[in-house]
Amino acid sequence: MLIGDAAQLPSIGAGGMFERLSHIAPGAELSNIRRTLDPEEQRACADLRAGKSEKAMAHYYAKGRLHLEDTRDQALEQAVKGWATLTETHAIEEVALISDASNKEVHRLNARAQHYRSERGELGDLEVQVPGVHYGVRAGDRVALIDQHHEPGMERIENGARGEVLDISEAGEVHVQFDVTGQWRTLAGDDLARLRLGYAQHIHRAQGATVTRTLVLTGGWQTSKEPAYVEASRARQGTDWFLSREDLGVQGHDSDRIKRLAQNMSRSHAQTPSLAYPELPGPDYGRSFTQTIAPSRTRLPGIARAIHRIAKSKPTQERTR
């Protein structure tokens, strides 16, 4: 049994088979949005899924949930401030802080979120540095694994698992309780490199989450149709978008920039499986390829054009073998 949504993020490697199978195999489709009960939010999600991003962004702008700052740094800071305000009245795990840019940006979001929690007196004083990033962790921090953790004789904790730091010992051992299983583990030394703060996350790690509110830092080079749809469909009670004018061009009015954002969000990066391309009829593959597919060669992917050139060239003894 396959369950999914072909309009969400494409796979990292070869992909596109889920959508193809959904068209040729028996199946059932869920057509009603259940995560949010707000009809306007439902329409905005449906519009982003359908590539009608300009209509969706007009909704968010009218609701005051599209926040434009001059620079990316300012947009990042405003997103974290919004997160800090919401987490004063909502559980931290119910507010998603998402970036569709780099891991470096996610690290900055996490460090700033930790700063606000520290100012509110919600974290312990003892800090242990995490290898590979510029921050440490304290008791009370939300954390996530970026790799599997396995101790002999104990159940494996999966990559992406999220939890809370319960305590930090004087020896630098970090005691974490994970959300889904309720299990706790002690991480120290090299194992700490598997750990990251878990306040903010990249969109690829946020897919599948259900939260009360979502704040998205977007508008950069990775902005496209599939991430925008996933970002907009995480929250029960609404999504706020933060973006910078410098990412969308310094010329024109904000309305022009919102239009450019919508254009970026309408670009699809969905993958096409190789089975979607015509098969080569045989047995004379070279002759058949030249006669049946070559007329449309300008529409073929690069590898198909290379095969076409080989098929037209004079066969050598090596190719014959």
Side-chain angles (χ1 to χ4, degrees):
M1 180 181 293
L2 300 178
I3 301 175
D5 185 348
Q8 293 194 17
L9 299 174
S11 56
I12 300 298
M17 278 302 297
F18 180 86
E19 182 178 22
R20 183 172 175 82
L21 289 172
S22 70
H23 291 307
I24 63 176
E29 182 177 354
L30 300 176
S31 57
N32 296 330
I33 297 175
R34 299 291 186 182
R35 182 168 276 133
T36 177
L37 300 180
D38 183 340
E40 292 184 342
E41 287 290 313
Q42 290 176 344
R43 284 194 294 270
C45 288
D47 286 337
L48 284 170
R49 190 181 192 277
K52 301 175 182 177
S53 48
E54 193 164 351
K55 186 177 179 181
M57 289 300 107
H59 157 75
Y60 291 111
Y61 182 75
K63 290 293 184 180
R65 290 188 166 175
L66 195 59
H67 311 279
L68 279 159
E69 305 295 333
D70 287 337
T71 68
R72 188 79 176 183
D73 287 344
Q74 291 171 349
L76 183 148
E77 188 62 29
Q78 289 303 312
V80 182
K81 283 184 178 179
W83 175 90
T85 300
L86 285 172
T87 54
E88 290 178 352
T89 55
H90 295 76
I92 289 173
E93 56 269 26
E94 285 297 318
V95 184
L97 184 58
I98 299 173
S99 166
D100 63 5
S102 65
N103 286 331
K104 183 178 179 181
E105 184 167 270
V106 174
H107 297 330
R108 290 183 59 201
L109 286 165
N110 271 316
R112 293 298 296 153
Q114 184 192 53
H115 170 76
Y116 280 104
R117 289 205 67 201
S118 179
E119 283 194 332
R120 298 197 307 226
E122 298 172 356
L123 304 177
D125 295 328
L126 192 60
E127 182 176 86
V128 172
Q129 182 64 36
V130 176
V133 291
H134 64 282
Y135 55 70
V137 295
R138 306 181 188 182
D141 266 327
R142 293 287 301 169
V143 293
L145 289 181
I146 61 169
D147 197 2
Q148 296 175 344
H149 178 69
H150 183 258
E151 295 181 18
M154 303 186 75
E155 184 179 348
R156 183 177 65 194
I157 306 295
E158 298 295 342
N159 179 10
R162 307 172 73 79
E164 181 179 342
V165 178
L166 298 181
D167 191 26
I168 293 179
S169 71
E170 293 289 342
E173 296 174 327
V174 178
H175 305 285
V176 180
Q177 184 174 29
F178 291 93
D179 296 342
V180 175
T181 64
Q183 298 183 71
W184 65 271
R185 293 288 187 273
T186 298
L187 288 84
D190 293 341
D191 283 342
L192 289 174
R194 296 186 173 96
L195 205 61
R196 294 292 185 269
L197 287 174
Y199 303 114
Q201 52 194 316
H202 192 273
I203 182 56
H204 280 276
R205 291 192 179 272
Q207 182 169 256
T210 297
V211 296
T212 301
R213 292 287 300 276
T214 301
L215 302 97
V216 181
L217 182 59
T218 188
W221 64 276
Q222 290 194 39
T223 302
S224 57
K225 179 182 175 183
E226 290 79 17
Y229 167 52
V230 173
E231 289 157 353
S233 56
R234 298 306 93 204
R236 303 183 191 93
Q237 297 179 9
T239 302
D240 283 78
W241 306 82
F242 297 83
L243 50 145
S244 71
R245 295 179 176 91
E246 67 180 3
D247 281 335
L248 298 167
V250 296
Q251 301 298 324
H253 302 287
D254 281 352
S255 58
D256 300 322
R257 297 186 182 93
I258 294 172
K259 184 176 181 178
R260 285 193 287 271
L261 172 69
Q263 289 172 344
N264 292 341
M265 286 182 169
S266 67
R267 297 179 308 190
S268 175
H269 291 163
Q271 297 180 350
T272 302
S274 59
L275 289 176
Y277 294 100
E279 295 184 12
L280 302 183
D284 188 352
Y285 295 108
R287 179 174 177 274
S288 299
F289 187 95
T290 302
Q291 290 182 348
T292 63
I293 299 181
S296 61
R297 59 180 300 216
T298 57
R299 299 191 297 272
L300 295 174
I303 190 168
R305 291 197 297 271
I307 295 173
H308 172 67
R309 289 195 296 270
I310 294 172
K312 289 185 64 178
S313 65
K314 182 178 181 180
T316 64
Q317 185 177 5
E318 184 64 30
R319 291 198 185 102
T320 303
R321 285 203 300 270

